[in-house]
Amino acid sequence: MDGRLVLVATPIGNLEDLSDRARRELSEAESWIVEDTRVSGRLQTVLGVKKPMRVLNEHSHPRQVAALVELARTERTALLTDAGSPAVSDPGTELVDLCLDEGIEVDAVPGPSAVTTALALAGFFAQRFVFLGFLARKPGQVSETLRPFADSTMTVVLFESPHRVDKTLEACARDLGSRRYALCRELTKMHQQVWRGTLPGLPSSTDVPRKGEFTIVVEGKRKGQDLDRTPGV
């Protein structure tokens, strides 16, 4: 069988979200390229399969990536991330780019996404949105990322850890102004929570425990909205 690379979206929390097509592709793949063998190993246990796994993450050397390109050239290979869609805010992007340049067939099995799930649950009109992933650690770099959207009607979607979510919301208030926002925590998991508020207000730790994985949705500037902000202050 000629090699090809198949991008397989995996559950972001609830294993029941794994589609029949995803199960088939993962079962038929000769090898898996994964972000973390411990996470994907649990998925193999659930599926009742045992496949060779190669690691691709932010620490992978270019030689390792090149070797994975050759693997995809000769084998039916599945690319997974720990949760959600691979190659979206994910090191797998480089592999996909190189495979396409080499003329290797690339396909994708769509599925769970924290971005679109959070957008739907937030309840904001988001015909246009921008996904910024995890923001930088330095305040100046954060402002450089956020300020272009201070007067934009696009909804902003961010990922954040529980230990930094307050700082990120404070940065959003500083650089975007008074906006409605939604904190989406532990999406599709047992303790899923969606809390809506208005910047600069923050929920207490009782209202929203600082635990688990967060997706932040900040509503775009609505037409006619008079923002109480001074950019950069």
Side-chain angles (χ1 to χ4, degrees):
M1 182 182 294
D2 291 335
R4 69 170 183 149
L5 182 67
V6 183
L7 286 57
V8 183
T10 54
I12 58 177
N14 191 325
L15 288 174
E16 292 181 359
D17 293 335
L18 191 67
S19 70
D20 290 341
R21 183 184 170 201
R23 290 175 181 271
R24 175 173 56 79
E25 290 288 356
L26 292 173
S27 297
E28 293 179 355
E30 297 171 82
S31 298
W32 288 13
I33 298 174
V34 305
E35 188 175 359
D36 187 323
T37 56
R38 295 167 298 180
V39 175
S40 296
R42 290 195 290 270
L43 183 58
Q44 289 199 4
T45 300
V46 170
L47 294 176
V49 301
K50 190 170 181 61
K51 303 287 183 177
M53 290 187 284
R54 307 284 188 90
V55 173
L56 174 61
N57 56 36
E58 65 272 19
H59 304 296
S60 296
H61 190 276
R63 288 195 299 270
Q64 294 173 295
V65 179
L68 295 176
V69 172
E70 294 308 310
L71 179 70
R73 190 192 305 277
T74 59
E75 291 188 6
R76 186 174 183 136
T77 308
L79 174 64
L80 298 75
T81 186
D82 285 349
S85 299
V88 177
S89 189
D90 176 74
T93 303
E94 182 181 3
L95 176 63
V96 174
D97 188 26
L98 291 172
C99 284
L100 292 171
D101 283 346
E102 291 292 320
I104 298 170
E105 181 184 355
V106 177
D107 198 2
V109 180
S113 167
V115 175
T116 52
T117 301
L119 278 168
L121 290 174
F124 304 146
F125 183 73
Q127 186 173 9
R128 299 173 65 227
F129 70 91
V130 58
F131 171 57
L132 301 179
F134 287 93
L135 296 178
R137 294 298 182 94
K138 295 182 178 180
Q141 293 175 324
V142 171
S143 291
E144 287 178 4
T145 300
L146 292 176
R147 282 181 188 171
F149 304 99
D151 294 313
S152 173
T153 58
M154 287 195 292
T155 293
V156 174
V157 183
L158 306 164
F159 286 162
E160 195 48 272
S161 69
H163 308 294
R164 292 184 51 82
V165 67
D166 285 4
K167 287 186 177 180
T168 296
L169 289 174
E170 289 166 359
C172 288
R174 179 191 67 224
D175 295 318
L176 300 178
S178 178
R179 301 282 185 89
R180 294 196 301 170
Y181 71 97
L183 278 182
C184 302
R185 186 174 71 88
E186 294 289 82
L187 289 172
T188 78
K189 299 177 183 179
M190 180 181 298
H191 299 292
Q192 173 177 297
Q193 180 182 20
V194 178
W195 188 93
R196 302 205 314 169
T198 302
L199 294 173
L202 302 183
S204 69
S205 58
T206 301
D207 290 331
V208 180
R210 301 317 195 254
K211 297 179 181 179
E213 298 175 335
F214 283 84
T215 303
I216 302 171
V217 181
V218 183
E219 187 179 32
K221 180 180 178 181
R222 286 177 287 174
K223 292 182 178 180
Q225 183 179 12
D226 189 11
L227 295 182
D228 179 19
R229 64 166 177 81
T230 301
V233 175

